[in-house]
Amino acid sequence: MVTTPAVTCPFDIDVANAEAFERLTTADPWVVDVGIARDVIPGYADNLVLTSGAPMPWSEYVGGQREALIGGALFEGLAATRAEAIVGFESGEIVVGACHDYGAVGSLAGIYTASMPVFVVENRTHENVGFCNFYEGKEPRRLNYGCYDQGVHDRLVYVNEVLAPVVGEAIRRRGGIALKPLIARALRMGDEVHSRNAAASVLFSREILPAVLDMVAEDVPNVRETMLHLAENDYFFLRLSMAAAKASADAMAGVAGSTLVSAMAFSCKGFAIKVAGTGDQWFEGPPPIHQGKLFPGHAEGEITWMGGESPITETVGLGGFAQACALSLQAYQGGSPEVMIERNREMYQITHGENPDYRIPLFGFRGTPTAVDVRKVLETGVLPVMDVGLAGRDGGQIGAGVIRAPRECFEKAAAVHAQARHSR
């Protein structure tokens, strides 16, 4: 399990926030490998299934997130039937863990099992590591959306046996790939690298192309299939942007006195944040406020919450905090260019500063608003906005939209922060 020791610094909020912001924006995330979760994630056990959000006991997981955990246990062979999986979780024979506690982040339900391949992303400035597992493909029914059937199983096996070995070998042959320059360029090409990753996915494919060509010449298996998969799945890069954001945001953790948000995530129960100055503590609130656009044949009443940690991208100034880079998202998640631009400008009111590397062409290459400050959220009443996929109560993705973090999380964080300050 990953823990971050406190960093000694003056308990002056402005000084602490300046240090945390500097640590965040000087992060240098590189994807260096693809490895099996049990082999590369510290403390990973064979009977451990990770999921999104603040840690909870098994009994509190409901709906699609509960079904996703059960599916993970079945996929890993920890149980032969759904009933056996439930008994295993209830008895503790199968263990539920929180992704963030292991240096990982998970999309939607965020399911990791011991045999799953994960991207290994090193922050070369601060020497910490972040992990994220692979995108399952564009089929709406996916394990991370609370579904598990033969089709989901087969696609997960395909990721394990076909995609991950080829992508990992290409990354290793390239000596690792710097992700910050790819993300910065993708922003200039119409991505915000949360709900739109089309440009970033193409740029990543170009980065591994020299290695891929060598692998083709050597008759390495499954190269053609892997490159076709990358070409057909614009969301492939999301998992890399999430791991890069995790490795960057974790560099802030432990800066005593800082009020900057170091993680945002949600579960089936509600939304939660971490703050740099309070370490591993989560501050929880109700489910997020949402608005979005549903796929044909679906209704508002179907929307359900089953977890999500892709808002780690917003934590570092991407996603909803770079919406003005990706105006084409209006066709996917609703809204209008005017609304997206105004929403993006609004985020400058609640952040510590502007990102020196991630910039918005529409704003004259102004840096993206970066590092949410708990104090500013409460002072302005402006809530952080995030671009997300929307899950349905029967599993699967049914749409996309934007959410806002609930105010309660920030109120709780501010109270704990004030108490710690006054006790000194």
Side-chain angles (χ1 to χ4, degrees):
M1 186 175 293
V2 175
T3 57
T4 307
V7 176
T8 302
C9 72
F11 205 153
D12 178 287
I13 296 176
D14 292 333
V15 171
N17 284 347
E19 179 181 344
F21 185 77
E22 189 272 341
R23 291 178 67 83
L24 171 62
T25 55
T26 59
D28 185 18
W30 284 62
V31 59
V32 296
D33 202 0
V34 170
I36 303 305
R38 67 162 65 89
D39 298 332
V40 297
I41 298 179
Y44 209 103
D46 285 345
N47 65 337
L48 175 65
V49 182
L50 297 185
T51 193
S52 293
M56 299 193 301
W58 160 252
S59 59
E60 294 190 25
Y61 289 100
V62 298
Q65 190 162 21
R66 180 183 175 94
E67 293 304 314
L69 284 163
I70 292 169
L74 293 173
F75 174 73
E76 194 60 32
L78 299 173
T81 66
R82 185 176 183 279
E84 283 185 17
I86 292 171
V87 170
F89 281 117
E90 289 175 343
S91 68
E93 185 177 344
I94 306 173
V95 178
V96 179
C99 294
H100 271 282
D101 284 346
Y102 290 82
V105 276
S107 176
L108 262 292
I111 302 300
Y112 285 64
T113 65
S115 67
M116 286 184 178
V118 298
F119 290 109
V120 180
V121 174
E122 291 181 354
N123 176 354
R124 292 191 170 179
T125 305
H126 304 105
E127 300 183 344
N128 60 295
V129 181
F131 306 95
C132 194
N133 55 8
F134 272 60
Y135 177 56
E136 297 172 48
K138 56 188 177 183
E139 164 63 45
R141 290 183 61 80
R142 304 192 289 273
L143 181 62
N144 71 319
Y145 272 88
C147 300
Y148 188 74
D149 54 27
Q150 190 60 48
V152 173
H153 172 89
D154 292 345
R155 286 188 291 276
L156 290 170
V157 170
Y158 184 79
V159 168
N160 285 15
E161 297 182 356
V162 177
L163 300 181
V166 172
V167 174
E169 177 65 16
I171 290 169
R172 290 187 292 272
R173 290 187 182 214
R174 294 292 286 160
I177 296 169
L179 295 176
K180 182 177 278 189
L182 291 187
I183 292 170
R185 186 168 187 184
L187 296 179
R188 301 193 297 271
M189 297 171 66
D191 284 356
E192 38 73 273
V193 294
H194 185 169
S195 281
R196 190 181 193 278
N197 289 273
S201 295
V202 170
L203 291 172
F204 177 78
S205 295
R206 191 181 73 166
E207 284 295 313
I208 64 172
L209 183 58
V212 166
L213 293 175
D214 289 342
M215 292 161 68
V216 169
E218 297 168 15
D219 290 326
V220 173
N222 301 320
V223 175
R224 181 178 185 276
E225 292 85 347
T226 296
M227 296 309 292
L228 286 174
H229 177 91
L230 266 62
E232 295 169 358
N233 287 277
D234 289 346
Y235 270 90
F236 177 85
F237 191 85
L238 172 59
R239 305 309 178 86
L240 284 162
S241 67
M242 288 173 62
K246 174 63 172 170
S248 300
D250 275 1
M252 291 193 290
V255 178
S258 175
T259 56
L260 302 187
V261 173
S262 58
M264 297 191 287
F266 55 99
S267 66
C268 56
K269 182 178 179 182
F271 199 88
I273 64 171
K274 283 186 178 183
V275 178
T278 53
D280 290 329
Q281 185 172 0
W282 285 100
F283 301 98
E284 300 179 54
I289 305 156
H290 75 276
Q291 60 183 119
K293 182 177 180 179
L294 300 179
F295 299 155
H298 294 284
E300 185 80 10
E302 296 178 58
I303 296 174
T304 190
W305 304 110
M306 59 178 68
E309 293 177 337
S310 53
I312 192 67
T313 54
E314 277 80 7
T315 306
V316 303
L318 299 169
F321 288 60
Q323 264 187 40
C325 290
L327 297 182
S328 63
L329 276 177
Q330 63 187 292
Y332 178 57
Q333 63 186 29
S336 68
E338 293 79 13
V339 168
M340 294 174 73
I341 290 167
E342 178 56 32
R343 194 184 284 141
N344 201 151
R345 290 192 189 279
E346 196 177 32
M347 295 301 99
Y348 287 104
Q349 299 179 45
I350 60 171
T351 46
H352 179 82
E354 298 181 15
N355 199 297
D357 298 296
Y358 302 147
R359 297 181 178 274
I360 302 175
L362 189 63
F363 295 167
F365 288 91
R366 186 178 181 182
T368 65
T370 299
V372 173
D373 187 336
V374 169
R375 298 175 303 168
K376 293 182 178 181
V377 171
L378 298 177
E379 289 166 4
T380 64
V382 174
L383 299 173
V385 67
M386 290 146 274
D387 297 330
V388 299
L390 298 174
R393 62 170 175 251
D394 297 322
Q397 184 178 5
I398 64 168
V402 296
I403 61 172
R404 288 189 185 262
R407 181 181 174 90
E408 289 90 333
C409 300
F410 300 91
E411 291 174 337
K412 291 177 180 179
V416 169
H417 187 277
Q419 183 179 20
R421 192 178 189 201
H422 292 150
S423 67
R424 289 210 165 203

